[in-house]
Amino acid sequence: MIVTKGIRFSNLLKWSGPHIIWLLILMTSIAFLYEFELLSFSIPWLPISVIGTAVAFYVGFKNNQAYDRMWEARKIWGGIVNDSRSWGMLVNSFVSNLFIEKPLSENELHSIKQRLIYRHIGWLYTHRNQLLAPTSWEHISQGGHLARTAEFYQRKFGVGLVDDQIEGADPVKFLSEEEFEEIKLLKNKATQLINSQGDDLAELRKNGLIDDFRHMEMAKVLQNFYTLQGKNERIKKFPLPRQYANMSRYFVGIFIALLPFSMIPELMKVGDWGLWLSIPITALIGWVYVMMEIVGDYSENPFQGMANDIPMLSLCRTIEIDLREMLGETDLPASIESKNGVLM
């Protein structure tokens, strides 16, 4: 998540510099073809303006849907934050000796509470790791230049910024060795960790450490975690429909290909400076359309480890700190801070 008030010009050049270069080369080449009369035809401005308007509407629709996916993902993670705090509160206050004939020691109770809360923290980091696994339609999976560009963005403006803090986000440290061995070969580890929480609640009810009402209330929170996990998985595993995601790219390409054959001849009529005005102005118009397409393209997948992502690591760390403080712990990890204007 970009957290600066604005995007620095240097970063803007890094993200869009290659597009500025090829647009300037294209417009300069066509402008000099007109200048040396190697091209004599021109396209009337009216059909180009109609195409440009249609493309703007289409790309705008795609960007709206991409933003909706990103904002929905943020709301889901907001629900995970709230329910995680509720889970910590319920574990801390509901698990007690109130309904048991032979009371457990404070250390034994604390051990049970720590197991339930630590397993939940392990679920958080496991769920994050599963969401970051690339799908076939994400940029990093495309191969060639697109994959190399995505890898660069991840390294310089994404998950690469927090490589030095990943060790603290390893779910293994929050699970017992036996439990980790049980789930490490499973396909959906996060699902099985919540299931283990349910098994633990059933065992606590059997042993009289919680009553039926408390058992039901705590089970409802676990059901909420399943619901929120499923919503995140829906966004991750169901892409923005390809007919919208890809066709807008083709439409932008068609518009940019036709644009100089209308704009450049018209601007060259201005006078002696017409040739030199036509190149940057036409390239600028093309750049605006390219950037509209790219913004939507890199926003439609909010779990791909780039600057536009939901700051999952920061949210997980915030929850971890809150829950461990509920256990009375003081040796806590540091909060995740933004780097280069990006919070992951």
Side-chain angles (χ1 to χ4, degrees):
M1 178 177 69
I2 300 173
V3 295
T4 54
K5 183 175 178 60
I7 298 176
R8 289 186 295 183
F9 185 70
S10 59
N11 286 341
L12 186 61
L13 285 180
K14 290 177 182 177
W15 294 337
S16 65
H19 299 289
I20 295 173
I21 292 172
W22 71 259
L23 281 167
L24 286 173
I25 292 174
L26 174 65
M27 303 312 171
T28 301
S29 300
I30 295 176
F32 276 95
L33 288 176
Y34 277 109
E35 175 68 13
F36 293 109
E37 298 183 353
L38 297 175
L39 282 177
S40 57
F41 72 94
S42 64
I43 301 176
W45 178 243
L46 182 59
I48 300 300
S49 63
V50 172
I51 293 174
T53 302
V55 172
F57 275 113
Y58 199 93
V59 176
F61 170 79
K62 172 185 173 179
N63 284 359
N64 282 337
Q65 301 309 305
Y67 179 81
D68 283 346
R69 286 167 61 87
M70 181 177 63
W71 183 238
E72 183 186 3
R74 181 59 187 90
K75 290 192 292 185
I76 294 168
W77 271 95
I80 290 176
V81 172
N82 296 337
D83 283 345
S84 294
R85 290 167 176 162
S86 297
W87 174 253
M89 179 267 295
L90 292 176
V91 169
N92 208 31
S93 59
F94 277 10
V95 179
S96 68
N97 286 318
L98 190 61
F99 308 101
I100 191 171
E101 294 181 1
K102 296 181 179 180
L104 300 180
S105 67
E106 288 299 321
N107 286 339
E108 289 174 319
L109 280 177
H110 184 271
S111 178
I112 293 171
K113 295 176 181 180
Q114 185 182 62
R115 183 175 70 246
L116 290 170
I117 286 180
Y118 269 38
R119 186 186 290 123
H120 179 68
I121 298 172
W123 171 79
L124 289 169
Y125 288 120
T126 299
H127 183 43
R128 171 186 176 269
N129 292 343
Q130 291 180 181
L131 290 176
L132 287 175
T135 57
S136 60
W137 54 83
E138 290 180 359
H139 299 85
I140 198 71
S141 302
Q142 302 311 305
H145 174 71
L146 195 59
R148 290 192 296 270
T149 302
E151 185 180 357
F152 172 78
Y153 287 158
Q154 286 184 343
R155 186 173 65 254
K156 296 295 185 181
F157 306 102
V159 290
L161 297 173
V162 291
D163 280 345
D164 58 335
Q165 302 184 66
I166 292 299
E167 184 178 349
D170 189 350
V172 177
K173 62 182 289 189
F174 299 101
L175 305 174
S176 67
E177 184 177 347
E178 179 183 354
E179 185 169 20
F180 176 73
E181 290 297 324
E182 289 178 357
I183 71 165
K184 70 177 183 179
L185 298 179
L186 300 177
K187 291 184 178 180
N188 195 327
K189 299 177 180 60
T191 296
Q192 301 309 319
L193 285 174
I194 296 179
N195 186 60
S196 296
Q197 297 281 61
D199 291 340
D200 247 10
L201 290 187
E203 189 68 21
L204 292 177
R205 174 66 190 92
K206 179 181 177 181
N207 294 334
L209 289 168
I210 55 175
D211 64 354
D212 287 337
F213 172 76
R214 297 184 179 192
H215 182 216
M216 291 173 59
E217 289 299 306
M218 296 177 78
K220 286 180 183 178
V221 179
L222 294 182
Q223 289 176 334
N224 288 344
F225 290 139
Y226 267 143
T227 299
L228 295 168
Q229 177 183 328
K231 289 180 177 180
N232 276 335
E233 290 172 344
R234 182 191 67 221
I235 295 174
K236 177 68 178 183
K237 297 180 180 180
F238 187 85
L240 183 69
R242 297 296 89 188
Q243 62 269 32
Y244 297 110
N246 290 340
M247 290 305 296
S248 64
R249 186 179 307 165
Y250 298 139
F251 292 160
V252 168
I254 292 171
F255 174 71
I256 292 176
L258 296 176
L259 178 67
F261 298 103
S262 177
M263 180 69 72
I264 290 176
E266 193 67 28
L267 288 173
M268 289 179 70
K269 298 176 183 178
V270 173
D272 295 338
W273 290 96
L275 171 66
W276 304 108
L277 283 175
S278 66
I279 295 172
I281 291 176
T282 310
L284 177 62
I285 296 173
W287 177 81
V288 169
Y289 275 80
V290 168
M291 291 307 296
M292 285 196 301
E293 164 63 22
I294 289 176
V295 167
D297 195 41
Y298 280 90
S299 299
E300 67 185 55
N301 300 311
F303 304 128
Q304 59 176 343
M306 298 188 187
N308 295 325
D309 269 26
I310 305 304
M312 294 188 290
L313 183 60
S314 173
L315 294 171
C316 288
R317 181 60 57 80
T318 297
I319 298 170
E320 177 189 347
I321 292 171
D322 289 345
L323 295 185
R324 291 176 67 178
E325 281 188 327
M326 289 182 183
L327 289 172
E329 297 183 14
T330 56
D331 185 16
L332 302 172
S335 300
I336 303 298
E337 301 293 339
S338 63
K339 295 182 180 180
N340 297 336
V342 177
L343 182 66
M344 294 305 296

